């Protein structure tokens, strides 16, 4: 038998009156592959036709501005939306996002958006994993959430409300901040 139209990585063979097509396709460009098996020798020309469709692996690539996949925001401040363009997938799962931030997949676009409501555990290293299609493509990123500033009187109680005579030094007033 002779074989034509098989994708790269797939071969055909004939032995003991059995035709076998096997292998692992290594390319998807040109898919679907319409192949022909032609028997040789004997009487007449006999062919068999078939199709092997090879789907490419899923892809995911940042489509929002560079750096949006590694941003730092104050708590309770909306993040800049993070978007990824995908191919081949039918959905996505998300892990590691801070509370208040969610991910979605629609029409080959992953969108991460929202307002982080916690800072404990920051930085948040998130993972987007594509589902469906061929091979689970992933994307990684980081959202760092900083807590609100704080200021607390650290000098003795009452030093922040002093009454002094002119030309008399005040007691130092100190505040601890974060």
């Amino acid at each position: 038998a002779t074989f034509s139209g098989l994708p790269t990585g797939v071969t055909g063979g004939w032995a003991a009156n059995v035709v076998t097509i096997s292998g692992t396709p290594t390319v998807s460009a040109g898919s679907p592959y319409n192949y022909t098996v032609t028997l040789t020798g004997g009487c007449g020309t006999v062919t068999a036709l078939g199709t092997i469709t090879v789907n490419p692996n899923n892809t995911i690539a940042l489509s929002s501005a560079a750096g949006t996949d590694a941003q730092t925001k104050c708590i309770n401040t909306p993040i800049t939306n993070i978007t990824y363009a995908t191919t081949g997938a039918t959905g996505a799962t998300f892990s590691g996002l801070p509370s208040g931030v969610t991910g979605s997949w629609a029409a080959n676009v992953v969108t991460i958006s929202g307002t982080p409501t916690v800072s404990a555990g920051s930085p948040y290293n998130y993972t987007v994993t594509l589902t469906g299609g061929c091979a689970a493509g992933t994307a990684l990123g980081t959202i760092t959430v900083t807590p609100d500033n704080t200021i607390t009187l650290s000098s003795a109680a009452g030093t922040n409300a002093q009454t002094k005579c002119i030309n008399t030094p005040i007691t130092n007033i100190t505040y601890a901040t974060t």
Side-chain angles (χ1 to χ4, degrees):
T2 61
F3 303 86
S4 64
L6 294 173
T8 302
V10 175
T11 59
W14 179 92
N17 290 325
V18 175
V19 170
T20 302
I21 297 173
S22 62
T24 303
T26 58
V27 294
S28 61
S31 185
Y33 295 92
N34 297 309
Y35 66 84
T36 303
V37 178
T38 305
L39 297 181
T40 59
C43 296
T45 302
V46 178
T47 60
L49 305 173
T51 302
I52 298 173
T53 300
V54 182
N55 294 321
N57 286 338
N58 295 338
T59 63
I60 184 167
L62 184 68
S63 57
S64 53
T68 54
D69 58 345
Q71 51 184 290
T72 299
K73 292 292 179 175
C74 292
I75 192 170
N76 298 317
T77 302
I79 67 168
T80 302
N81 284 0
I82 305 164
T83 58
Y84 294 91
T86 70
T87 62
T90 58
T93 61
F94 304 85
S95 64
L97 294 172
S99 294
V101 176
T102 60
S104 64
W105 179 94
N108 290 320
V109 175
V110 166
T111 303
I112 298 173
S113 61
T115 302
T117 58
V118 294
S119 61
S122 184
Y124 296 93
N125 297 309
Y126 68 84
T127 302
V128 179
T129 304
L130 298 180
T131 59
C134 296
T138 60
L140 306 173
T142 303
I143 299 172
T144 302
V145 182
T146 56
D148 286 335
N149 295 336
T150 63
I151 186 168
T152 307
L153 181 67
S154 58
S155 55
T159 56
N160 59 335
Q162 301 178 37
T163 302
K164 294 289 183 174
C165 294
I166 191 168
N167 296 319
T168 302
I170 68 167
T171 303
N172 287 349
I173 306 166
T174 58
Y175 292 90
T177 64
T178 59

